[in-house]
Amino acid sequence: MLRKKETKIDLCFLIACILLAIFLGFGIFFLPKKNFSEQENRMLSSPPELSLGALLDGSFFDTLSSFCSDHIPMRNTMISAKAACELCLGKRQNNGVIFSSNGVLTDRLEYDDTSMLTKNISAIQSFSEKNGAKLIIVPRSVDVRFPELDRSARVSQVCEPTLLGNLRALYQTGTDPYYKTDHHLNASGILALYELLGEELGYTPTNVERQIVSSSFLGSVYSKAGLLNTTKDELVLLRYEGDENVRVRCFDDGCEQSSLYAWDRLNVKDKYTVFLGGNHGLMEISKAGTGKPRVLLIKDSFANALIPILAEHFDITAVDPRYCKDDLSTLAEKGKFDRILVLCGADTLATTNIAKSFAAN
């Protein structure tokens, strides 16, 4: 009798597992898909393309695994539930994010393969030597807060050494240069970068005032960690007289702004997009009638918070090679720029193939 009861329970459990697998499979492959996760502030994986080469080298299954993980139903709820369980078990990290005191979240960002980093840096260095560009690689927060945890030391070694040293010095004196819940530099970190670039690009830093525009910023690392509650960040702008008269033109979506700040973005989840309205492939930032030197800035999102104060000294053509596929060598040669700066985060160079944008056709 007991054996029969156990068999029924086992059968019910098996049927439940099968139904769950069918439900999840249907959801992954047939429900409407999003290309971008606002919660995690990143592009989601696309369906893999079936080919003999992809099957033989294993890339098809790697892409399929990423696609299924990104589009599984109730993904955000599952991440939050897992984070709660990890905390209840006394663990201090979840989904690769370290939980520290005062609500500080640090993405470990460990890489087993740094070939992409090597490829990108090689292409950028060749471009820089040819065009006289300056390369600044921004460290990750883990490089500053927990350098002893970096398994892939190659990543921290390629970062701008002076900037890395200055950011670590700030952190050790109690001023964290990164947001608690996001991977970007906060106002203190941006000021350290701005002062360093003054020496590299030949300008005297201007006096700025800090303006708190939000006290409820929750960034991409918070989303990845899956915590239900944590300390929110203050979002601070670095303002100076005349910064409201700078013109911003975006060539990918045709936007044109009369301000460096997209104030309406303070009402959305990703408040970091208040800087320039977010990421754009190709932008021009200028102030009419000033005759400032022209700089070509090849960048990722780390530069978005820097550009507003850099615009005090330069007219800027900003290119994000993740979204703009133009040949950068041709642009640099034809643009007659006074200075060229490549400014990217180490994580971007380690995970995103942008090398082909720097190779001359």
Side-chain angles (χ1 to χ4, degrees), residues 5-47:
K5 187 174 181 180
E6 290 176 347
T7 301
K8 286 182 179 180
I9 293 174
D10 291 342
L11 184 60
C12 289
F13 178 74
L14 179 61
I15 292 173
C17 289
I18 293 173
L19 291 175
L20 179 61
I22 293 173
F23 167 73
L24 293 178
F26 180 85
I28 291 171
F29 292 100
F30 297 106
L31 290 180
K33 302 289 182 295
K34 292 183 178 180
N35 295 323
F36 183 81
S37 170
E38 183 177 339
Q39 178 71 11
E40 298 178 68
N41 190 30
R42 67 177 181 89
M43 298 301 295
L44 298 176
S45 300
S46 301

Side-chain angles (χ1 to χ4, degrees), residues 7-163:
T7 301
K8 286 182 179 180
I9 293 174
D10 291 342
L11 184 60
C12 289
F13 178 74
L14 179 61
I15 292 173
C17 289
I18 293 173
L19 291 175
L20 179 61
I22 293 173
F23 167 73
L24 293 178
F26 180 85
I28 291 171
F29 292 100
F30 297 106
L31 290 180
K33 302 289 182 295
K34 292 183 178 180
N35 295 323
F36 183 81
S37 170
E38 183 177 339
Q39 178 71 11
E40 298 178 68
N41 190 30
R42 67 177 181 89
M43 298 301 295
L44 298 176
S45 300
S46 301
E49 294 184 5
L50 182 61
S51 68
L52 181 59
L55 286 172
L56 292 176
D57 65 17
S59 60
F60 173 82
F61 297 102
D62 290 340
T63 306
L64 178 62
S65 176
S66 299
F67 174 76
C68 292
S69 176
D70 280 357
H71 296 281
I72 191 170
M74 301 186 297
R75 172 181 168 81
N76 294 334
T77 302
M78 291 181 182
I79 292 175
S80 298
K82 181 176 181 291
C85 291
E86 296 292 307
L87 286 173
C88 290
L89 292 172
K91 297 182 180 180
R92 303 307 303 169
Q93 61 179 303
N94 178 58
N95 204 24
V97 177
I98 303 167
F99 306 150
S100 303
S101 59
N102 301 321
V104 176
L105 305 175
T106 306
D107 203 333
R108 294 192 70 156
L109 295 172
E110 295 176 333
Y111 317 104
D112 295 322
D113 182 3
T114 58
S115 59
M116 183 72 72
L117 178 71
T118 302
K119 179 180 178 181
N120 283 329
I121 290 179
S122 177
I124 294 172
Q125 286 177 338
S126 296
F127 170 87
S128 300
E129 291 171 3
K130 179 181 178 182
N131 297 283
K134 175 65 181 178
L135 170 62
I136 298 287
I137 299 177
V138 182
R140 306 162 297 168
S141 58
V142 70
D143 299 322
V144 172
R145 294 171 180 158
F146 305 107
E148 70 280 3
L149 297 181
D150 184 14
R151 287 194 305 150
S152 47
R154 164 73 173 147
V155 180
S156 57
Q157 289 171 356
V158 301
C159 296
E160 164 59 40
T162 303
L163 178 61

Side-chain angles (χ1 to χ4, degrees), residues 262-306:
W263 300 108
D264 60 316
R265 298 302 181 94
L266 294 174
N267 300 317
V268 303
K269 193 267 179 186
D270 184 13
K271 292 176 171 46
Y272 188 78
T273 55
V274 69
F275 299 107
L276 307 172
N279 293 316
H280 298 275
L282 179 62
M283 307 179 74
E284 282 189 355
I285 300 98
S286 61
K287 194 171 183 178
T290 57
K292 295 177 183 177
R294 297 182 64 227
V295 62
L296 172 61
L297 175 59
I298 303 168
K299 56 88 175 181
D300 64 4
S301 58
F302 272 93
N304 291 0
L306 172 72

Side-chain angles (χ1 to χ4, degrees), residues 161-186:
T162 303
L163 178 61
L164 179 58
N166 292 348
L167 295 179
R168 283 178 175 171
L170 269 177
Y171 183 70
Q172 289 166 2
T173 57
T175 301
D176 197 328
Y178 293 86
Y179 290 106
K180 294 179 180 180
T181 67
D182 194 70
H183 64 288
H184 291 109
L185 293 169
N186 60 21

